[in-house]
Structure formats: C-alpha cells, structure tokens
Amino acid sequence: MRFQAMPTLEGRRRFLYRISCIQAGLMLAPLWGHCAPVGGAQSVIYIVKKGDTLTHIGRRYKVSVRQLKRANGLRSDLIRTGQKLVIPSRKPEFRYIAEVVAATEAIEVERRRWKIVVGHHSGIDRGNAKTYHRYHLEQRRMENGLAYHFVIGNGIDSGDGQIEIGNRWLRQLHGGHVKKEKVNEVGIGVCVVGNFERHRPSRKQLEAFSELVQYLREDIIRVPSRFAVHKEIDPGRTVCPGRYFPVSAMHRRFPS
C-alpha cells in the first residue's frame, strides 16, 4: 500500500492559488504569482501597488502605456492602489518603432515639454541622419547638429521606413526644424527623406511615420497635442513636406 505525503504549506498555497485562478476563469502563467487568461495568451494580472504609474509598470513588463490602457479600457493614466491590471502580450504592436521605444525607455523624457509633432521632408532623395547632422553642423552652423529629432529613410542611404533617432531626442533638446523658436522649444521634428514636391513617399515611409507620430502623441506626450507639417508652422516660407505628402490624410488620422 502506497502512502501519499501530505502537501507542504507552500504546496497547499499553490493548490489554493490554482483553484482561485480556475474559479476566476484564468490559468496559471509560467511565473508563480500571476494569472493569465485561459486560451494560451501571454497576458498576466498585476495588482497596483502604492507609488505605481502606468509608465513604471510598462517599463517593468516591456509594454507601452498605450497597450496597458487599451488592454484595461482606461481613458486616462489614473490608477489606484489595489487595482487589477491586465498586462498584455509582449508581442510587438508596431513594425517600425521598436528601436525608438527601447531608446526612449532608457532616457528621462521631458513629457511636459513636448506639445506638437511636426512633419517634414528633406527636399532631396539622398541622405540620412548622419549626413544631415554633418550638414546642419558644418554648413548651417547649428550647435546641436541635426535639426530634427527623427529621420525616416527611403531605402537609399538608410532602410526604407527605417527610423533613425537624432541626438536632440536622446538628449531631449529643442528642435531646429522650423523658423518659429517657440515651436522648436515644444515641437518634435520628424523628417521623411525625399523630395515630395516631385514624388510620393514610399508605403513603408508613411507607415513608419504614422506609427511614430501615434507613439509620440499617445505614449509620450499623452496630453492634448497637435500634429502639423512645416508649411503650416511657417506659412509662405516653405512648401515642406511637398505636394505629394498626404497632409490631409494625416490630419484626419491625428486630429488636434
């Protein structure tokens, strides 16, 4: 006759925890201490502690604030101690901005500073962040070099849709991308490589631009913000970003 050993206190706790998860319609996640939705999803449940913010929780689980809010039906960043939050799958939500998210999470972003995202074109079909930085530094005598915070390549000197991160973003410096200094102080400049007076941006460039603007507006600024293009900031001085850049479509996607 075989005797089964009595479960330890820890074993009984795990058993009761498993039962509570089953009763709640959840299954055990790989890490002890969390529950995940039944059906194989990788989501976990997190209980908010005193001092927690969505930003801190997002960094811990490597998900964006936007993903957290969407998964939990939150309309604001306000959370309370004891609240249960679903931590969504860590599967990347975007195709183009993974490096931007990683770099941004590694710096201290001045969220209260940024109010507007401004779209540009380079006006030429060659170049990347490095060459524009050198030109702005040496030819235009700009102390901080590259005028923009981000540059989106066209497949010639950088990848088609590749988002390059400028020094001004990494150091949280004001832009140099428009004539109005008040806008430079609060405006994030995004330059898409190409002359869009002559041709359209590539599909990948527009997808990358849209994902970047959405991320900046919803995960970084997170307050009522504005989207504009260069010629709307400095009317009469420039045609940037060109007649073939879909300005109206972008305004419909990113209403102020």
Side-chain angles (χ1 to χ4, degrees):
M1 185 175 180
R2 298 179 61 185
F3 292 91
Q4 184 175 1
M6 291 293 292
T8 63
L9 177 60
E10 181 65 14
R12 290 197 297 272
R13 286 175 176 171
R14 287 176 180 267
F15 174 76
L16 293 173
Y17 175 78
R18 185 182 298 273
I19 293 299
S20 67
C21 284
I22 293 173
Q23 290 175 337
L26 303 170
M27 61 176 288
L28 284 177
L31 294 177
W32 164 249
H34 298 283
C35 295
V38 174
Q42 299 176 5
S43 301
V44 298
I45 300 297
Y46 178 81
I47 299 177
V48 177
K49 301 178 179 62
K50 185 177 180 180
D52 277 342
T53 65
L54 289 179
T55 299
H56 295 150
I57 295 171
R59 287 177 181 174
R60 176 177 177 180
Y61 288 95
K62 300 187 184 303
V63 296
S64 70
V65 171
R66 179 173 177 270
Q67 288 173 296
L68 283 171
K69 292 172 71 172
R70 176 181 292 179
N72 292 278
L74 301 176
R75 295 186 177 181
S76 72
D77 294 345
L78 183 64
I79 54 178
R80 63 182 184 278
T81 302
Q83 182 177 355
K84 293 181 180 180
L85 295 178
V86 175
I87 307 298
S89 167
R90 298 180 186 182
K91 181 179 179 181
E93 191 174 53
F94 298 102
R95 295 178 58 191
Y96 299 93
I97 66 169
E99 291 185 8
V100 174
V101 174
T104 301
E105 289 179 346
I107 64 176
E108 192 67 31
V109 178
E110 297 181 18
R111 297 181 186 275
R112 294 184 179 180
R113 175 182 192 168
W114 308 114
K115 308 294 183 186
I116 181 172
V117 180
V118 183
H120 300 259
H121 75 165
S122 61
I124 56 176
D125 291 331
R126 297 300 302 261
N128 54 28
K130 182 178 180 179
T131 57
Y132 297 159
H133 171 74
R134 185 166 61 246
Y135 172 77
H136 290 166
L137 194 65
E138 297 175 358
Q139 301 300 319
R140 296 182 60 183
R141 303 296 182 184
M142 301 180 75
E143 180 181 1
N144 295 306
L146 181 67
Y148 315 104
H149 295 87
F150 300 95
V151 176
I152 301 177
N154 63 353
I156 299 177
D157 295 312
S158 59
D160 187 6
Q162 177 186 351
I163 302 174
E164 296 183 285
I165 309 167
N167 184 54
R168 290 181 189 254
W169 183 250
L170 296 177
R171 294 174 57 195
Q172 292 291 282
L173 302 176
H174 64 82
H177 47 96
V178 297
K179 183 71 174 178
K180 294 181 179 178
E181 285 304 315
K182 289 184 178 179
V183 176
N184 280 328
E185 287 290 339
V186 300
I188 303 172
V190 180
C191 177
V192 185
V193 177
N195 185 343
F196 305 136
E197 276 289 289
R198 297 180 178 178
H199 59 80
R200 300 179 186 279
S202 74
R203 175 182 60 80
K204 290 184 177 180
Q205 284 183 304
L206 290 177
E207 289 176 351
F209 182 85
S210 296
E211 288 185 2
L212 179 59
V213 173
Q214 180 174 326
Y215 170 70
L216 293 172
R217 280 168 53 99
E218 296 187 9
D219 283 69
I220 301 303
I221 301 176
R222 301 213 306 267
V223 295
S225 61
R226 182 184 171 196
F227 166 76
V229 296
H230 189 180
K231 64 184 178 183
E232 294 170 331
I233 301 298
D234 293 326
R237 293 178 175 272
T238 179
V239 296
C240 176
R243 72 182 74 180
Y244 292 114
F245 190 87
V247 176
S248 296
M250 289 298 174
H251 275 300
R252 289 194 295 271
R253 182 162 187 172
F254 305 114
S256 298

